[in-house]
Amino acid sequence: MTGASSSQETTALESAVRHSLGCLVFGNCVGLYLSVLLLEPSLQVQPWTYGRWVPVHLNLQLYGWSALPLIAWLFSMFEVDRSKLSSWGTAAVWAWTAALLTGAAHWLSGSSSGKIFLDWNGTSLWAFTAAQLILWFVLAVAWKRNSATWSRARRMGTLAGLLGLALVPLSLIF
């Protein structure tokens, strides 16, 4: 009976892959809309103009379609699905997706830094920073729980990567 219920649960790795594919579909739909607007600008819906949709398209492709498979790879490397952390990993993926949706709403409202792929500011910046911190926390706990069984080289390499990842939210803020 236990095996049947656990086979229906989505692992953190599967969740990251599914969310990545969702970002691909949505981001490509936005890209298609942008292509149509280049051909027929009169189809713009005010106030959601071409310039407001561009950061949505670009950031969904980079931070969704491209970054979420890397998060899945991190989950695999840190063996997040090996323990009860899988549900926390799934929560981290949902936080990441929520930050992307917050960012999309923010960019469509006309708030953007104007820097390509660094459009995170205001509310969207704090949502994305929170998602990164949740992800980092999940990876750090997974490292603490699982690293004792790893080789010394893997343990030190993943620790170095984890420490490097700690700098990302700080650098994005500054």
Side-chain angles (χ1 to χ4, degrees):
M1 198 76 165
T2 308
S5 64
S6 65
S7 67
Q8 293 174 344
E9 294 174 11
T10 303
T11 65
L13 188 93
E14 292 169 340
S15 181
V17 170
R18 287 180 181 170
H19 284 242
S20 174
L21 290 172
C23 286
L24 172 67
V25 170
F26 185 59
N28 282 351
C29 287
V30 172
L32 178 62
Y33 176 64
L34 291 172
S35 300
V36 169
L37 289 181
L38 289 174
L39 295 172
E40 189 54 56
S42 65
L43 295 176
Q44 290 190 89
V45 177
Q46 295 292 336
W48 297 344
T49 58
Y50 181 89
R52 292 187 182 193
W53 280 106
V54 168
V56 174
H57 169 67
L58 293 175
N59 289 316
L60 280 175
Q61 296 296 347
L62 179 66
Y63 295 106
W65 167 238
S66 299
L68 282 165
L70 295 174
I71 291 171
W73 175 68
L74 286 170
F75 287 161
S76 175
M77 181 182 290
F78 283 81
E79 298 178 354
V80 169
D81 286 333
R82 196 175 98 174
S83 64
K84 293 180 181 180
L85 281 175
S86 185
S87 60
W88 283 96
T90 299
V93 171
W94 276 103
W96 191 274
T97 302
L100 286 175
L101 292 174
T102 302
H106 200 68
W107 304 315
L108 285 173
S109 74
S111 179
S112 174
S113 69
K115 299 175 187 169
I116 192 165
F117 297 120
L118 293 174
D119 293 297
W120 303 96
N121 62 7
T123 306
S124 67
L125 173 64
W126 297 113
F128 193 52
T129 301
Q132 289 176 334
L133 292 173
I134 292 167
L135 175 64
W136 189 88
F137 176 75
V138 169
L139 295 175
V141 172
W143 185 88
K144 177 82 169 126
R145 288 187 178 181
N146 301 327
S147 66
T149 61
W150 300 342
S151 68
R152 178 172 167 71
R154 181 177 178 190
R155 190 169 45 252
M156 292 295 112
T158 51
L159 179 60
L162 194 58
L163 294 175
L165 285 174
L167 299 174
V168 174
L170 294 174
S171 65
L172 191 63
I173 291 171
F174 293 110

